[in-house]
Structure formats: structure tokens, C-alpha cells
Amino acid sequence: MSFDVKCVRETAVHTAALVQHNPLRLSLLAVVIAASFSNPARAAETTTSAATDNQTMLVSASEDSGVADTTKTDYSVPVTRAGTKLTSTLRDIPQSVSIISQQRMEDQQLQSLGQVLSNTTGIQQNVADMDRRTYYSRGFLIDNYMVDGIPTVFASRWNLGDAQSDTALYERIEVVRGATGLMTGPGNPSAAINMVRKHADSRDFTGNISASYGSWDKQRYVADLSAPLSASGNVRGRLVAGFQDNNSFIERYGAKKQFVYGVVDADLTDSTTLSVGYEFQKINADSPMWNGAPRWYTDGSQIHSRRGFNTAPDWTYNDKESKKIFVNLKQNFDNGWNITLNGTHNEMTMDSKMMYVSGYFDKNTGIGINEYPASSNYDAVGGTGYNTAKRKVDGLDAFSSGPYELFGRQHELMTGISYNRQENNYYSAFENISPDMLGNYNNYTGQFRETDWSPRTKSTDSNITRQKSAYLATRISLADPLHLILGARYTNWNRTTMTDEMEKNNITPYGGLIYDINQNWSAYASYTSVFQPQDYRDSNGNYLSPVIGKNYEAGIKSDWFNSRLTTSVSVFRAELDNVAQSTGRVIAGTTETAYIGQSGTVSRGIEFEINGALTDNWQMTFGGTRYIAEQRDGETVNPQLPRTSFNLFTSYRLPMVQDLTLGGGVNWQTHVWQDVGAPAGNGTWRATQGSYALVNLFARYQVTKNLSLQGNLNNLFDKEYDTNVGTSIVYGEPRNFTVTASYNF
């Protein structure tokens, strides 16, 4: 299906009038700047079409217009299926959406999914230690990570390094905030992350080879090669391979990453495309610190550990491996309809031996006491663990979309089915570390004997989750400026564990209304939902119905310069219904507590984002969020997450020195805290981290047509900050640099 992206027809005078009469002046500021600096060719009408369903854009313009194909160098991505799987511009999606382009990732050196999320509007991270990070939006855990629209769902325990996925394999990262049940089925009303793979889209032999060196002996090498595999170019191949080896500011810690990605795209006919690919990633970490460093002495004063201090011995490690096979078939029809079939088989494994130190320690003797004073039978100041896990995902997703006519107006329909089977297997052995075993923590240097694992108590956790879904959505043209999007997803969800089985059926509705104020501005309102099965039982021993997440959102969006610049401002309210609450009684004949479902958490706030090309030489993304999340009793939800945060990053190519691009950005967040139990039952102590800003800079010089040199400097002012905010401390990275040489051909 193809369509014209809305064109620009504004003048500086008209923009000034909008600023005067519209209260959202922060968003409009970008428009004023853009209108002031844009060249006349930018106002010329250009035509863009979605050439393929993976939103590869073809831009055409007259030779004398001076307009080039900017889709690969812009921070904006004009067309996407995010949110509803209906091909849309961001302005036509009635939810908050951020898309991080390949150019943005290259400029800012965002080399893992986690680094992308840490620099995305409305996303907060919770850092457990060096290798375990979870991400949140609007106060709720993000538990859906998709690749080409097929989800992998996990609780924190089943996080096998998804956020460490290397971005060299992906064309862009799509983030839809709020409830996303239409796309994912179960989950939290937080956000859904979709990684869109690169494809073999070149009929010529092209490629990029890059080499990087940075702080703590970081070395990184990546090759991205594309070539035709047939004389006509109707069969094409692409290979991405990379290797990274780095130490850290944390002593003894080091990690190696290897990845290989290959895909073959074949035009079977003029309207049929088949893609087959394989992806492999491996990350081996040595001496990763588990759970951070202890925060407090027994008298309540803070232990001032060095930023580079590591509690992990030499024998500890954490290794992860991922293998993914996928197939994609697309069929376009002359009437504007298309069919897409996606299939995947994924296997992820983890093998680790870890050690953590926790609890509270006497300032003089260094002897620790139990971190959990309420547990009289638990006497430990740490532990060692031998953990292995394997996760297998088999997914199939098929959908079709296209136009239809009703009551003399043109509308669009999308309908599909999906099947997902996810098997998790987790094996662990554990040993407590008593205060006598650890000794004087003041003298601890990270040396501790390895546990004899053979006699240790072993535990196994296995489960299989199956989802069968059918979904549909339609965009109805009520009038030329007014569109209604309605959708729903039916999900049959089944989980089998070693001892039990649970099955739930759910219908997830979706609704959004979009009103085009004028050629550039739209207003929208939406209701989205999601469900989450839960393990709690009622007084009769029956599982509670799933938690229902509801998201109410309204906002204003705009796009400019043929969608090269987009802006959005939204207000939202997210609710959780049927949240389990303890009755204080036990289920008859058992020792298990009985629960009832009640209305629970509410999160409400505001978000904004400006993203894209302010001029042909100036790219920028600037976003922020402010929210409040509380439980039913008014208690703050996840106070260790910042309630207010802003992310800014920009690049500017100097007009007088076209080969030089300068840029940088600032990430700022407000203060965070968490109350934890004090030793000996003495109430609670509060761990805090004040508000802080991280300043980053970059510069790139085009030495020749093919060769460029780039330097990145992160945490310019060497800010010291804590990313854990709990009983332990996990410091963020000090000032660091990376230098990259890149050769294109």
C-alpha cells in the first residue's frame, strides 16, 4: 500500500500566529526554529511512499529541487506500523510513540538496546547490577520486547539479556508507550519495544566497516555488507558481523560480545518478497558484580566504596547466547491490499556463577549482620549462585491490511492471527554466606573461595506459555479531518508449570480518535488496554482473573517538512484493575494466603517530544516526561524511578565546513529514593540519589567521501551517581570516550 505523507505549506508568519494562539509553545518552539532556517526547497512538495511493509522509504523529487533521500540520515522515521499495524505516520497514531533511527544510534553510539532505552523519552531504568537492567515506563515494568512484531514476554527472572541486544542488527527501535494489548496480548500498561531488523535492500555491492577504541580498552569492530546474489538483483544478501571486547571502570570486570546476522531477500515476483535470516549473539562477562556493593554500616552511616570497587571474585562469570531463525513473506495486490507472514524460532541460554555481598556491617569490626532482620532463621550477608537457564520461543504472525470503501468514503482495515509458544527452564544452586565466612568486610578485596556446587541444594523452575490470538483494527474516515481507529485482540493464554496449569481468555479493546486541525497539526484521544494473568488465588482456591491495565491518553501531534520533523504533547492516565490484595486469611486446607482483586495503581502524567530535522543540517531529539504513580493507599509506586526526566541530543553539520558535524546532549532526571528495612528491626532507612544531569558530546569529520572519523565523550563533567538506590550501590559510568573510524563503499 502506498500513500502521500502530508506536505508542508507553512510560512514563518503562519507559524508565529500558531505560537501566539496555542498554549503548547514548548513544542512549537522547534517549528519556529525550523521555519526560520529551512531552505526554500524544503517547502516544495515531495512524494513519499511506503515501498515495502518494513517501511523502507523511497523519496522522489525533481533534480533542481535540491531535495535528497534523507531517510537514512534523519532522526525521524516517517512511516511505521507501530501501535496498530496500520501503515501510518506518527501523527496518525493515537498514542505516544518514539522511534530511534539508525542515524541517531550511530551519532550517539547507542550500541545496545539498553543504551537506546536509557536515552528514550519516557523510559526509566532500574539497575540491579552490571548485567541486569530492567526498564520501566509510566511507573510500570516493560515486559514485552518484540523483534519484527513478534513478542518475547518475561518476568524479571526470565530476563536473559534482551536489553543487551546489539543495535548493529537493527534499522530502528520503535517504542509505543502506554497499554499495548492490541499488539502484544498480555503485559503491563507501560510500553512495548519493537526492534526492526535490517534487510538486504541494495541491488549494488555496498557496505560499511567500522573500528572503535575507547576507555577501559574497549575495542569494537563491525562490518555491514550488502550485495546482489543474482544478476538482476532480485535476490540480495546482507551480512552484519561484529566483535567487542572491553574492560570497565569496575575492577576485574570485562566482557566480550560477538554477533553475526545474515539475511537473504528475494523478489519472487514483482509483488512477492521472501526474507530468510539467522541471528547469533554471544556475550561473556567475567567477574560481574551481582547486586552492587553494600550501602550502610550498622550505625546508619554510608559505606563510601570506590566507584571501581568490585565484590565479585575472579571465578564468577555470566555468559549469554542467543540464536534466532526467521522467515518473512510479503504479498502485495493491485487493489492496495497486502499480506505479511512472519515466523521465528529463538533460543536464548544463560550460564553463570555469581556472588553477592549484602547486609549491614559494623564500622569498626567490619562484621556483617543479616540484611533481613525479620527472618530469624536467615543468617547471611551474601550468597553464591550457580544459575543456568534456557528460553525457547516459537512465533507465527500473519496479518493483512488494505483499503475498503463504505458510505462513499475510503477506510483501511487490518486483521491477523498469531501463535506464540514460549518455554522457560531455570536451574539454580545457592549457598548462603554467613558473617563468619565473609569476615571483616573492611578488609574485603573481592577474594572469596568458590562454592563446592556438587552437594548444594538444586532447584528447577520450568514453564510453557502458549498464546493463540486473533486481532483486527480499522481506520474509519468519518470526515476529511476526522478519523476513528477501532480494534480488538482476542487471546487464549495458557501456562503449564511443573505442578499446575492456568488458562485465561481475554478480549483487549482499542480505540482512538484523531482530528486534523490543519495540514500540520492533529489532536487525538485514545483508550488502550492490556491484561496480565496472575498467580494469586481467592478463598475458594481459584486463580484471580487477570489484572487489567487501562490507558487513557489525549494529545496534540504535528509533522513538518514531509514528516522529517515531528512533535507531540500528551497527557495520560493509566489504571490497574483487579490487583491482588491479601485478605489476611488462608485458603481452607492449605497454608496459602487468600487474595481478592481490587482497583490498584494509578499513574498519571504528561510527555512531550520533538524529533527530526530542524534544517537540512540540524537534527534534534528532545523529550521529557513527568508522572505520578501511586497505589490505592496513596503509597508511591517504584520511587527509585525518576518522576521527571528530560533527554536532549542534537547534531549540526556546519554550513561553512560541510565535512564537520558537531553535537551532543543532556540527560537529566529528578531525585529518587527507596525505603529499606534497617538492621535489628529499627524501622526503615532511606536510600536517595539527588537530581543530576549527564552531558555528552560528539564530533564527526568526513575525511574523504568514504572515510569518516568520529569521537564521543560521555559524562563530560564526570558526575558520580548511584543507579540502584536500595540496600546496595551500583555506580554509573564515569567520564569515558570512544573514537570510531568508519569506511563506506
Side-chain angles (χ1 to χ4, degrees):
M1 177 185 175
S2 63
F3 60 95
D4 289 343
V5 176
K6 297 177 179 67
C7 302
V8 176
R9 292 189 303 172
E10 89 284 8
T11 63
V13 174
H14 178 58
T15 303
L18 282 175
V19 175
Q20 182 178 0
H21 294 98
N22 196 295
L24 303 172
R25 296 179 184 176
L26 181 59
S27 179
L28 284 165
L29 176 61
V31 179
V32 176
I33 297 172
S36 300
F37 285 91
S38 60
N39 58 56
R42 296 287 293 282
E45 183 171 335
T46 60
T47 301
T48 7
S49 64
T52 63
D53 280 345
N54 66 358
Q55 291 84 55
T56 298
M57 299 297 298
L58 300 177
V59 179
S60 61
S62 61
E63 293 182 0
D64 59 353
S65 69
V67 179
D69 183 354
T70 57
T71 56
K72 292 185 178 181
T73 58
D74 279 355
Y75 286 2
S76 62
V77 177
V79 181
T80 178
R81 286 188 181 270
T84 63
K85 288 194 175 180
L86 294 166
T87 306
S88 307
T89 63
L90 291 185
R91 176 180 166 183
D92 295 323
I93 303 172
Q95 279 186 270
S96 295
V97 180
S98 294
I99 300 182
I100 297 84
S101 69
Q102 184 178 352
Q103 186 63 56
R104 163 92 185 280
M105 291 187 283
E106 290 177 359
D107 286 355
Q108 204 168 349
Q109 292 288 284
L110 305 177
Q111 295 167 346
S112 70
L113 176 62
Q115 291 174 337
V116 169
L117 296 179
S118 298
N119 290 273
T120 299
T121 301
I123 305 298
Q124 301 86 31
Q125 70 171 339
N126 185 45
V127 179
D129 48 43
M130 298 293 292
D131 290 340
R132 293 186 301 163
R133 299 178 183 227
T134 49
Y135 294 86
Y136 291 72
S137 179
R138 301 178 178 181
F140 305 115
L141 174 70
I142 299 174
D143 52 3
N144 269 303
Y145 289 92
M146 300 184 290
V147 180
D148 289 340
I150 295 181
T152 297
V153 183
F154 58 82
S156 298
R157 184 172 190 176
W158 297 112
N159 182 356
L160 300 187
D162 298 81
Q164 294 176 291
S165 299
D166 201 281
T167 57
L169 312 184
Y170 305 115
E171 199 71 49
R172 63 183 182 275
I173 309 295
E174 301 174 335
V175 179
V176 180
R177 290 182 290 277
T180 58
L182 180 63
M183 294 190 302
T184 62
N188 289 315
S190 51
I193 314 301
N194 186 35
M195 293 162 273
V196 180
R197 289 187 175 103
K198 292 179 177 178
H199 277 269
D201 50 11
S202 175
R203 294 178 181 271
D204 301 313
F205 178 61
T206 61
N208 173 271
I209 298 175
S210 64
S212 302
Y213 180 81
S215 298
W216 312 302
D217 294 325
K218 175 184 176 181
Q219 299 179 59
R220 178 180 170 89
Y221 309 95
V222 179
D224 183 349
L225 308 175
S226 297
L229 302 180
S230 65
S232 63
N234 64 322
V235 181
R236 303 167 301 280
R238 188 167 188 171
L239 176 68
V240 181
F243 173 79
Q244 180 174 312
D245 185 4
N246 61 271
N247 294 321
S248 169
F249 70 99
I250 301 291
E251 57 197 6
R252 296 189 302 282
Y253 175 82
K256 292 183 179 180
K257 179 194 293 189
Q258 306 168 56
F259 54 89
V260 176
Y261 168 70
V263 61
V264 175
D265 288 274
D267 299 329
L268 304 182
T269 69
D270 290 341
S271 59
T272 308
T273 302
L274 175 67
S275 300
V276 179
Y278 173 77
E279 172 188 323
F280 171 84
Q281 296 191 64
K282 184 177 182 179
I283 302 174
N284 294 341
D286 295 325
S287 299
M289 185 161 54
W290 195 17
N291 203 47
R295 180 181 297 274
W296 284 302
Y297 290 113
T298 53
D299 63 1
S301 60
Q302 185 160 315
I303 301 174
H304 294 286
S305 302
R306 293 177 290 107
R307 276 198 280 187
F309 179 69
N310 190 355
T311 61
D314 293 332
W315 52 264
T316 60
Y317 65 89
N318 189 355
D319 297 344
K320 301 183 181 74
E321 187 174 286
S322 169
K323 301 175 182 178
K324 300 178 182 180
I325 302 172
F326 67 92
V327 61
N328 175 271
L329 180 66
K330 298 175 183 177
Q331 175 67 57
N332 296 319
F333 299 96
D334 293 338
N335 61 0
W337 276 78
N338 56 73
I339 296 175
T340 300
L341 175 65
N342 287 317
T344 187
H345 173 76
N346 306 338
E347 293 188 9
M348 298 188 71
T349 59
M350 183 267 288
D351 179 75
S352 69
K353 292 180 180 179
M354 306 280 278
M355 171 183 165
Y356 75 91
V357 178
S358 191
Y360 307 95
F361 296 86
D362 185 273
K363 185 181 295 186
N364 297 315
T365 66
I367 301 301
I369 64 173
N370 182 14
E371 177 186 358
Y372 305 97
S375 304
S376 58
N377 62 342
Y378 186 84
D379 183 24
V381 291
T384 60
Y386 175 33
N387 302 302
T388 62
K390 185 172 184 178
R391 181 175 72 202
K392 293 197 296 185
V393 177
D394 292 292
L396 183 66
D397 183 65
F399 66 94
S400 62
S401 64
Y404 67 95
E405 189 172 322
L406 186 65
F407 301 123
R409 303 193 67 86
Q410 194 85 351
H411 316 282
E412 187 178 359
L413 177 68
M414 181 280 302
T415 181
I417 57 174
S418 69
Y419 173 78
N420 188 282
R421 181 187 186 274
Q422 181 169 321
E423 180 178 352
N424 300 319
N425 291 284
Y426 189 92
Y427 163 91
S428 64
F430 188 80
E431 180 185 45
N432 289 328
I433 297 176
S434 68
D436 290 340
M437 293 167 64
L438 186 68
N440 184 349
Y441 179 73
N442 293 334
N443 298 329
Y444 180 69
T445 61
Q447 301 304 314
F448 193 85
R449 52 89 179 157
E450 182 176 356
T451 300
D452 180 8
W453 299 109
S454 54
R456 293 292 112 207
T457 301
K458 302 176 179 64
S459 63
T460 302
D461 182 9
S462 299
N463 63 74
I464 299 175
T465 302
R466 297 178 178 88
Q467 294 183 59
K468 302 173 185 177
S469 299
Y471 54 89
L472 63 85
T474 181
R475 181 189 289 117
I476 302 172
S477 176
L478 301 177
D480 288 343
L482 186 63
H483 294 81
L484 175 66
I485 297 179
L486 295 176
R489 184 186 188 101
Y490 166 77
T491 302
N492 171 260
W493 183 93
N494 176 279
R495 187 186 64 191
T496 304
T497 68
M498 299 176 65
T499 60
D500 209 348
E501 183 175 1
M502 183 194 311
E503 184 169 352
K504 298 293 180 181
N505 296 291
N506 183 269
I507 295 178
T508 306
Y510 183 102
L513 192 65
I514 304 163
Y515 178 75
D516 292 334
I517 300 171
N518 57 31
Q519 194 172 32
N520 300 110
W521 290 92
S522 298
Y524 74 91
S526 66
Y527 167 83
T528 57
S529 60
V530 71
F531 76 101
Q532 185 74 280
Q534 50 187 334
D535 296 328
Y536 301 104
R537 301 177 188 263
D538 61 20
S539 57
N540 297 319
N542 299 320
Y543 283 114
L544 295 181
S545 299
V547 175
I548 302 298
K550 301 176 181 178
N551 190 81
Y552 305 89
E553 189 169 322
I556 295 178
K557 292 186 178 184
S558 71
D559 65 26
W560 310 85
F561 313 135
N562 213 32
S563 292
R564 292 187 63 194
L565 173 68
T566 61
T567 72
S568 65
V569 178
S570 64
V571 293
F572 62 85
R573 177 184 174 91
E575 300 175 355
L576 287 181
D577 292 338
N578 204 46
V579 176
Q581 299 271 337
S582 173
T583 63
R585 300 185 297 273
V586 297
I587 301 172
T590 73
T591 59
E592 186 178 345
T593 302
Y595 289 80
I596 59 173
Q598 295 183 352
S599 297
T601 301
V602 172
S603 174
R604 59 191 185 277
I606 183 171
E607 293 173 342
F608 78 90
E609 185 173 78
I610 305 166
N611 186 56
L614 300 178
T615 73
D616 283 334
N617 294 322
W618 190 2
Q619 300 284 333
M620 183 181 77
T621 181
F622 178 35
T625 185
R626 166 65 181 171
Y627 75 95
I628 298 172
E630 297 176 332
Q631 294 180 354
R632 189 181 185 196
D633 58 4
E635 184 177 349
T636 300
V637 174
N638 292 324
Q640 76 277 12
L641 304 175
R643 290 320 193 237
T644 306
S645 59
F646 297 97
N647 300 306
L648 168 68
F649 194 82
T650 185
S651 67
Y652 185 69
R653 188 176 63 180
L654 275 64
M656 66 293 295
V657 187
Q658 288 280 302
D659 291 329
L660 180 62
T661 301
L662 301 176
V666 180
N667 291 347
W668 179 89
Q669 67 172 56
T670 189
H671 74 286
V672 293
W673 78 95
Q674 186 169 198
D675 292 330
V676 297
N682 295 324
T684 59
W685 288 346
R686 173 164 290 188
T688 63
Q689 169 61 57
S691 60
Y692 63 90
L694 301 178
V695 179
N696 308 310
L697 299 176
F698 98 99
R700 179 173 56 248
Y701 185 73
Q702 199 70 36
V703 181
T704 68
K705 180 181 178 180
N706 303 102
L707 176 66
S708 66
L709 295 177
Q710 177 172 321
N712 289 74
L713 182 62
N714 300 319
N715 195 0
L716 173 64
F717 299 108
D718 201 23
K719 175 66 179 178
E720 182 177 301
Y721 59 100
D722 174 24
T723 62
N724 183 273
V725 193
T727 56
S728 301
I729 295 177
V730 180
Y731 288 108
E733 287 189 342
R735 181 170 49 234
N736 61 92
F737 76 92
T738 303
V739 177
T740 302
S742 181
Y743 187 81
N744 289 283
F745 55 90

